[in-house]
Amino acid sequence: MKKDYYEVLGVSRQATAEEIKKAYRQAALKYHPDRNPGNKEAEEKFKEAAEAYSVLIDPDKRAIYDRYGHQGLQGHGYEGFRGFDSSVFQDFEDILGNLFGFSFSEFFGGETARRPRAQRGRDLALELQITLEEVAAGTEKELKITRHELCPVCQGSRLKPGTRKTTCPACQGRGQLRYQQGFFTITRTCSHCDGLGEIIATPCQECQGTGRVKQKRQLKVKVPAGVDDGTRLRISGEGEAGDLGQARGDLYVIIRVRRHPFFERKGRDLYCQIDLSFSQAALGTRVAIPLLGRGHEILKVPAGVQSGEVFKVRGAGLKELGSHRSGDLYVRVVVKTPEKLDREQKALLSRLAELRGEKLEEVDRSVLEKYQQVTGSEDSDQ
């Protein structure tokens, strides 16, 4: 008579999936045949734990078992341990991994073992540096890459021309090796032929039997306007060659934008700083502002502008990637004080101060008075 599955794993009928997995792992580690060689009782308990887990971890099977027991499962076509399918093997491997030197997909009869499939070519990635001017207008660049191509001599077959592959003597062309371990039949990929079932006795000399050779290639890449630092451009089919008959990989171009000496970028907006003299700031002026790839624009600065004020030039920023919209240019004004004055210049500035009622020889108490006004405090040092 079959044992209750919950008792086999030592869990309650309300156990969660995680609790069931944990209990199964403990039982599998304890009763595995590799840890109990020749112990028939341990083998039987290992088998019981695996059967119990395969039912309780499946919501549909568990519902049938909870309601009808073992007979209910048999009535729905489940025949215990022989009823496992490949979806269960993946669960076992997720829990126990390759702990005992083989995968569980190989462990139970080997039906899920597969020969290596032909592979699509590897993707390649490289960095491309461009200027902010090229970001503004878009550009086209010529790249030089080194990648693996199918061997021109053997066309990727890895064989010396005029020769053929031979059947693997180890697996007799099956690509798999089988042997008994306890009551299990274990299937492993043949290491002699890597599961191909065939070996190459006479490899191509050009590619040393790899089927590929390194070659240099030049190609042009169009970089659209508005790209940002870190933007990845995908060029389909320009990666490495795949196995014979398989698609090429792709090439990913990662954009790196060089730091600009005049403009700072924030998204699609640009920022810059201009210096004005005291006279320009006081009287007003006009300044020619450079635009990226579009000549320049005249910025009218009003009289009395203060250092730190910012002016916006609409539409003078960068184009938004994939859009016709453009950002703006923000121009920050910095008023520069002359560091050296001759006698005549000093006299003129002194006269200006006199006309404005400024007494440069006295202590300017305007800052202190403003502080006292806003804080309501008094200066004790009169």
Side-chain angles (χ1 to χ4, degrees), residues 181-198:
Q181 179 168 336
F183 56 88
F184 294 115
T185 298
I186 299 176
T187 303
R188 285 183 173 173
T189 300
C190 178
S191 59
H192 191 65
C193 64
D194 292 328
L196 296 174
E198 299 172 318

Side-chain angles (χ1 to χ4, degrees), residues 167-381:
T167 301
C168 176
C171 65
Q172 302 302 313
R174 293 188 297 270
Q176 303 171 354
L177 297 174
R178 294 188 178 187
Y179 59 94
Q180 289 292 129
Q181 179 168 336
F183 56 88
F184 294 115
T185 298
I186 299 176
T187 303
R188 285 183 173 173
T189 300
C190 178
S191 59
H192 191 65
C193 64
D194 292 328
L196 296 174
E198 299 172 318
I199 59 174
I200 298 176
T202 311
C204 171
Q205 295 181 351
E206 178 69 17
C207 63
Q208 303 299 311
T210 64
R212 294 179 178 82
V213 293
K214 281 188 175 182
Q215 291 184 350
K216 294 182 179 180
R217 172 171 167 75
Q218 290 185 342
L219 64 152
K220 291 183 178 180
V221 177
K222 289 186 177 181
V223 181
V227 293
D228 206 343
D229 188 78
T231 297
R232 296 205 320 168
L233 303 178
R234 175 175 172 266
I235 306 176
S236 180
E238 290 294 348
E240 294 195 333
D243 290 341
L244 194 59
Q246 297 301 305
R248 302 186 67 95
D250 298 326
L251 173 64
Y252 289 88
V253 179
I254 304 169
I255 300 299
R256 296 300 179 202
V257 182
R258 295 192 187 100
R259 188 180 183 88
H260 199 274
F262 183 77
F263 291 107
E264 180 183 355
R265 176 185 186 178
K266 293 182 181 179
R268 60 181 183 177
D269 295 328
L270 294 175
Y271 294 77
C272 70
Q273 176 178 300
I274 61 172
D275 297 336
L276 296 182
S277 70
F278 174 78
S279 301
Q280 288 174 314
L283 302 176
T285 187
R286 293 188 304 165
V287 181
I289 305 297
L291 304 179
L292 278 176
R294 290 181 286 172
H296 67 276
E297 182 162 323
I298 303 300
L299 175 67
K300 185 176 180 180
V301 181
V305 67
Q306 300 299 305
S307 187
E309 283 194 47
V310 176
F311 297 89
K312 180 166 71 174
V313 183
R314 293 186 180 276
L318 299 171
K319 287 184 179 179
E320 186 176 283
L321 183 62
S323 170
H324 294 294
R325 294 181 297 179
S326 295
D328 302 318
L329 170 62
Y330 293 88
V331 182
R332 181 173 182 266
V333 169
V334 175
V335 179
K336 290 290 187 179
T337 303
E339 297 180 0
K340 294 182 180 181
L341 298 172
D342 59 25
R343 182 177 301 177
E344 184 179 359
Q345 291 169 339
K346 287 181 180 180
L348 289 172
L349 286 176
S350 295
R351 178 57 179 161
L352 176 62
E354 182 181 344
L355 292 173
R356 291 177 55 81
E358 300 172 356
K359 298 180 180 180
L360 302 180
E361 69 278 1
E362 296 180 4
V363 175
D364 184 355
R365 303 184 67 85
S366 61
V367 176
L368 180 60
E369 290 170 356
K370 184 176 181 180
Y371 169 78
Q372 292 171 345
Q373 182 181 356
V374 298
T375 62
S377 62
E378 295 184 0
D379 186 2
S380 58
D381 185 16

Side-chain angles (χ1 to χ4, degrees), residues 18-202:
E18 287 302 317
E19 290 172 337
I20 291 171
K21 285 183 179 182
K22 182 178 179 181
Y24 170 68
R25 177 179 172 82
Q26 293 174 345
L29 293 174
K30 182 177 180 181
Y31 297 117
H32 193 277
D34 279 358
R35 293 191 171 183
N36 302 274
N39 188 331
K40 297 297 182 181
E41 182 180 356
E43 287 185 5
E44 189 61 31
K45 288 185 176 181
F46 179 77
K47 179 179 177 181
E48 289 175 350
E51 181 177 339
Y53 172 76
S54 70
V55 172
L56 299 184
I57 202 63
D58 185 309
D60 294 332
K61 291 178 182 177
R62 184 177 180 181
I64 296 171
Y65 178 73
D66 287 345
R67 189 170 184 180
Y68 303 109
H70 294 291
Q71 291 183 344
L73 291 171
Q74 292 175 358
H76 284 76
Y78 180 77
E79 300 180 358
F81 198 64
R82 291 173 294 173
F84 286 168
D85 57 33
S86 60
S87 64
V88 177
F89 300 148
Q90 183 61 50
D91 288 338
F92 289 163
E93 196 154 358
D94 288 342
I95 296 173
L96 298 180
N98 206 17
L99 186 63
F100 299 104
F102 52 84
S103 69
F104 275 76
S105 60
E106 296 174 338
F107 193 89
F108 296 99
E111 291 302 319
T112 57
R114 294 287 184 269
R115 292 188 180 187
R117 292 184 296 179
Q119 297 293 317
R120 171 182 175 273
R122 287 196 313 122
D123 294 335
L124 296 177
L126 57 82
E127 292 189 350
L128 173 63
Q129 286 198 348
I130 62 174
T131 65
L132 199 56
E133 285 80 4
E134 291 171 327
V135 171
T139 185
E140 185 175 77
K141 293 286 190 178
E142 188 171 89
L143 301 179
K144 295 180 180 180
I145 62 174
T146 301
R147 66 188 186 189
H148 283 99
E149 303 282 2
L150 290 181
C151 175
V153 175
C154 69
Q155 300 300 316
S157 70
R158 304 188 294 162
L159 290 164
K160 181 179 180 180
T163 65
R164 295 182 178 181
K165 295 180 181 179
T166 59
T167 301
C168 176
C171 65
Q172 302 302 313
R174 293 188 297 270
Q176 303 171 354
L177 297 174
R178 294 188 178 187
Y179 59 94
Q180 289 292 129
Q181 179 168 336
F183 56 88
F184 294 115
T185 298
I186 299 176
T187 303
R188 285 183 173 173
T189 300
C190 178
S191 59
H192 191 65
C193 64
D194 292 328
L196 296 174
E198 299 172 318
I199 59 174
I200 298 176
T202 311

